[in-house]
Amino acid sequence: MLDGRVKVAIQAPGHIKEVTAVARFFTHAVDQLSGEQLQMVQTGQQSLNGKIIYFKLAKTPSVGAEGYQLLVTPEAIHLQANQPRGLFYGIQSLLQTMPKIRTNQLLRIPCMEIKDSPSFRWRGMMLDVSRHFFAPELVKEFIDLLATYKMNTFHWHLVDGAGWRIEIKKYPKLTSQAAWRVDDFDQVWNWSDIKFNRNPDSATYGGYYTQDQIRDIVTYAAKRYITIVPEIEMPGHSEAAMAAYPEFSCLPHKSSFKQSGNFYAHTTQSNYCPGNDSAFIFIENVLKEVMALFPSKYIHVGGDEVDKTSWKNCPLCQARMKKEGLKTEEELQSYFMQRIERFLNANGRKMIGWDEILEGGLAPQATVMSWRGESGGIKAAQMGHDVVMSPGTPLYFDHYQGDPASEPRAIGGFNTLKMVYNYKPVPAQLSQAEASHVLGAQANLWTEYIPTYEQVEYMILPRMLALSEVLWSPESVRNWKDFNRRLRPQLVGFAQKGLHYSKGNFKVDIKPENKNGQLMLSLETENENGVIYYTTDGTEPTTGSTCYTAPFLVDHSMRVKAGLAINHSMVKAPAATRTFTFNKATGKSVKYVHLNSKYYPANGLATLTDGMRGTTEIGHQWHAFSGQDMIAQIDFGQTTTAGYMALGCLQQYDQWIFYPKWVKFEVSMDGKNFKVVATIDNTVPTTDRAGQFKDFSAKFSTQSFRYLRVTAKNLGECPAGHPGAGKPGSAWLFCDEIIVQ
Ligand code: ACM
Ligand code: ZN
């Protein structure tokens, strides 16, 4: 029991100050939770009696630099580590056993004995502050969350096309202009045309961190044993920098202050010009100030997604390639990265970049952050380079973590808590020696769709807890079901502290499947501690509703709602809801002539007959065809009659998705000779930017047939004036459902 009679004893010869600071972190937390002020003493100075909490720095075998050893008995708590940071993590473990807010409950710590150390050195979280700016106080709250869960690296994405967020004294326009943009509240920000602040009066959105604020945040993080790795993006994703200093881009005379947050912006230059030595001087001057602020060994220099068109057309870049014997623009990027690496190394730092830095030749000392899956990380590790794994699946925390129908709008993708929990940072194909290059992993929070700090919390909680366990605990002791059990008090704590978090893990998936020409629904949840209840009449499920045991048939239109009960009580989260529209094609299997659904596979081959209709939300229900026509065929298995047919389609100009030119319905008795029953031309202008969907439908005299073929003619190329114009095959075609009545 912790009360005012308990003393805190420091045993840390030569490190009294640092360990006292760590112990204060603990006594402060206890004070906040209970109002009890624990007395601090140094052992050796007085004889101790009563209850004691020892903070001891001493040789502690087999826990390494970050581990600790903890023994709690009725009389004393002995916390021991090799380094103060180990003691800090021991404190976090102690705090895990306590209430999360002050409740006037007595603080008790259960007796236990722990020897604990992390599996990985790099336990990271990235926050993008370019797309949306988060105030210094909020960045500290983010750091607090990382510290609570023993993360040790904060990757601060300070710079991107949408705004420059770090004060650089030598180049004031970076923050006086490129930190501010004219935002359009009507549109998802990253598809609107963004203008930076040439006229300060018209800038409505943005912000930056002064160097003083950054120093303060770096110190704050260091006290929590978190290293901040700053990222200064180059050579691409640099629209903001180029808006302020167009002279360092390839075609300064053509530069326009009008920017787009879309990184493949056509209205501006997104890249530094590697043919121009002045651009390197600019970057080096920026990096000098960055290095003075951040003691981190690693400096992140981006390197991802460089559209090299400007380099292809730039005389300076082409001259550089000739002079240096570079055959491709990829090699030109490699030249760029290697030159920056030499500069960082000469200043005692190490370069880290996204996996594109492998293309054209990896800089000799570089560490690779693998985001396009793990292949870049695998390749780099096999080459003997260090890597940090942050594959989009499952470590992009800007993706959905529950059923998109009931989650706040996210960028797309789907990374559930369980997917994160099951992640293994070391790919199986690496040898032991190669595996030693995997420093760890990190989750990335890009903020295109995250305008508020509340939403930041929501997207990382509780997924960061799963990642923390992946990075800290050995695989042999990880257990998904047990994690869910241990997560419960954490979630209660989030709610008590007013932290926003997702209940996506409690969601039930309503999964349609075409089976023998019928539509069957199965209900699944990744939470293994509960029971699913459902209704088919649109009412809210309760523990009195049907308990799910096996897949069931959809033979009429219905609204299914399903929820999870844990310990005989429904979880307080919105029930999963799906509406199924039944028609003669529902549940029939579809064969495609083309199957190109790289980005939005929806429900795969079942999408067009799964009874589920799409909305303007592109992540749902829509099967996507890039540049190709959709040609689908259904065999009804027997003679069928119909006098109405329709195909649902989507148009989203800003997402490069267009209605088909026309839709054609053909029927056949033998599957060989088809007869056209209807062709419906598109009447909506392709330049209509409003997100919309509609059925291309036709009524006709009743037809008898066994086979149906539906063709939707892809627009092919985006219309004039669109960024995709002039690129054959650039248009996407999205379809959700075939209706036969
Ligand atoms: C990235 O997501 N472009 C690193
Ligand atoms: Zn150039």
Side-chain angles (χ1 to χ4, degrees), residues 233 237 304-305 354 356 371 396 444 446:
E233 269 270 14
H237 276 279
D304 58 318
E305 299 180 311
W354 301 110
E356 285 92 332
W371 72 280
Y396 269 35
N444 296 331
W446 304 100

Side-chain angles (χ1 to χ4, degrees), residues 72-303:
V72 183
T73 69
E75 288 73 41
I77 296 175
H78 295 270
L79 179 57
Q80 180 179 319
N82 290 310
Q83 306 267 349
R85 64 182 55 222
L87 297 175
F88 183 80
Y89 294 128
I91 288 174
Q92 300 312 322
S93 293
L94 283 172
L95 292 175
Q96 292 289 347
T97 69
M98 295 189 201
K100 302 293 175 261
I101 57 163
R102 184 163 179 178
T103 60
N104 296 328
Q105 166 190 2
L106 289 175
L107 296 187
R108 292 172 198 275
I109 296 176
C111 288
M112 58 181 146
E113 189 170 2
I114 296 178
K115 207 165 200 180
D116 194 18
S117 61
S119 300
F120 291 97
R121 280 179 280 171
W122 188 297
R123 303 185 301 279
M125 289 291 295
M126 187 218 74
L127 178 64
D128 163 15
V129 296
S130 175
R131 276 53 178 262
H132 290 288
F133 177 73
F134 304 99
E137 299 74 27
L138 301 176
V139 174
K140 287 183 180 175
E141 288 188 24
F142 187 79
I143 289 168
D144 284 341
L145 277 174
L146 267 58
T148 301
Y149 296 101
K150 304 191 179 89
M151 306 299 273
N152 67 358
T153 306
F154 168 35
H155 170 176
W156 202 357
H157 188 77
L158 284 160
V159 167
D160 209 306
W164 185 282
R165 306 280 174 229
I166 169 174
E167 178 187 28
I168 300 294
K169 304 264 191 205
K170 201 171 178 80
Y171 301 111
K173 282 190 288 180
L174 287 171
T175 43
S176 67
Q177 297 187 352
W180 304 95
R181 60 178 191 248
V182 183
D183 221 26
D184 184 342
F185 293 104
D186 291 342
Q187 298 190 50
V188 175
W189 79 270
N190 60 328
W191 293 104
S192 57
D193 294 324
I194 290 169
K195 299 185 191 82
F196 286 102
N197 178 25
R198 184 154 277 177
N199 170 8
D201 294 338
S202 64
T204 56
Y205 194 87
Y208 67 94
Y209 308 98
T210 66
Q211 296 203 348
D212 280 345
Q213 287 170 329
I214 286 178
R215 270 187 286 270
D216 177 51
I217 290 171
V218 168
T219 304
Y220 186 88
K223 283 188 180 151
R224 286 151 184 80
Y225 296 95
I226 288 173
T227 301
I228 303 186
V229 176
E231 180 180 351
I232 305 298
E233 269 270 14
M234 62 188 80
H237 276 279
S238 298
E239 293 89 342
M242 296 305 99
Y245 294 95
E247 57 269 39
F248 305 125
S249 66
C250 285
L251 296 163
H253 57 284
K254 273 202 181 164
S255 169
S256 148
F257 217 73
K258 192 172 171 212
Q259 299 285 315
S260 164
N262 175 8
F263 61 80
Y264 287 125
H266 275 231
T267 49
T268 188
Q269 292 287 299
S270 57
N271 298 347
Y272 291 95
C273 174
N276 180 352
D277 284 325
S278 308
F280 285 98
I281 292 168
F282 171 84
I283 292 168
E284 289 176 7
N285 285 334
V286 168
L287 288 175
K288 273 183 206 161
E289 294 193 35
V290 169
M291 289 186 289
L293 291 168
F294 294 94
S296 164
K297 175 168 77 171
Y298 290 98
I299 303 291
H300 202 303
V301 291

Side-chain angles (χ1 to χ4, degrees), residues 556-711:
H556 60 280
S557 293
M558 58 174 72
R559 190 167 171 81
V560 177
K561 287 193 166 207
L564 188 71
I566 295 178
N567 296 335
H568 311 291
S569 152
M570 298 304 290
V571 169
K572 288 188 191 64
T577 305
R578 287 256 186 277
T579 303
F580 293 91
T581 317
F582 188 78
N583 67 80
K584 287 180 178 173
T586 304
K588 301 288 179 286
S589 54
V590 171
K591 276 199 196 127
Y592 284 122
V593 172
H594 302 298
L595 184 54
N596 179 345
S597 55
K598 202 164 54 157
Y599 292 104
Y600 304 103
N603 191 18
L605 280 172
T607 304
L608 293 190
T609 53
D610 64 4
M612 297 198 294
R613 303 307 313 264
T615 65
T616 52
E617 179 65 63
I618 62 173
H620 299 201
Q621 321 318 354
W622 296 101
H623 214 170
F625 301 82
S626 170
Q628 286 174 331
D629 301 340
M630 194 285 301
I631 308 172
Q633 191 164 319
I634 296 177
D635 175 359
F636 285 80
Q638 61 191 39
T639 303
T640 302
T641 56
Y644 174 90
M645 292 181 184
L647 176 73
C649 299
L650 176 75
Q651 179 153 304
Q652 290 251 3
Y653 178 97
D654 292 335
Q655 308 277 14
W656 304 40
I657 302 162
F658 296 92
Y659 280 146
K661 285 184 181 162
W662 46 257
V663 173
K664 183 167 68 181
F665 295 99
E666 297 165 283
V667 296
S668 163
M669 284 306 289
D670 60 7
K672 293 191 189 87
N673 301 299
F674 281 86
K675 171 175 97 170
V676 178
V677 292
T679 303
I680 306 107
D681 289 326
N682 177 36
T683 53
V684 177
T686 51
T687 49
D688 188 339
R689 291 183 72 156
Q692 55 192 291
F693 55 93
K694 70 166 195 167
D695 284 348
F696 285 69
S697 66
K699 270 195 188 136
F700 40 81
S701 58
T702 301
Q703 303 284 322
S704 293
F705 57 93
R706 173 171 164 180
Y707 298 90
L708 168 64
R709 187 160 69 200
V710 185
T711 306

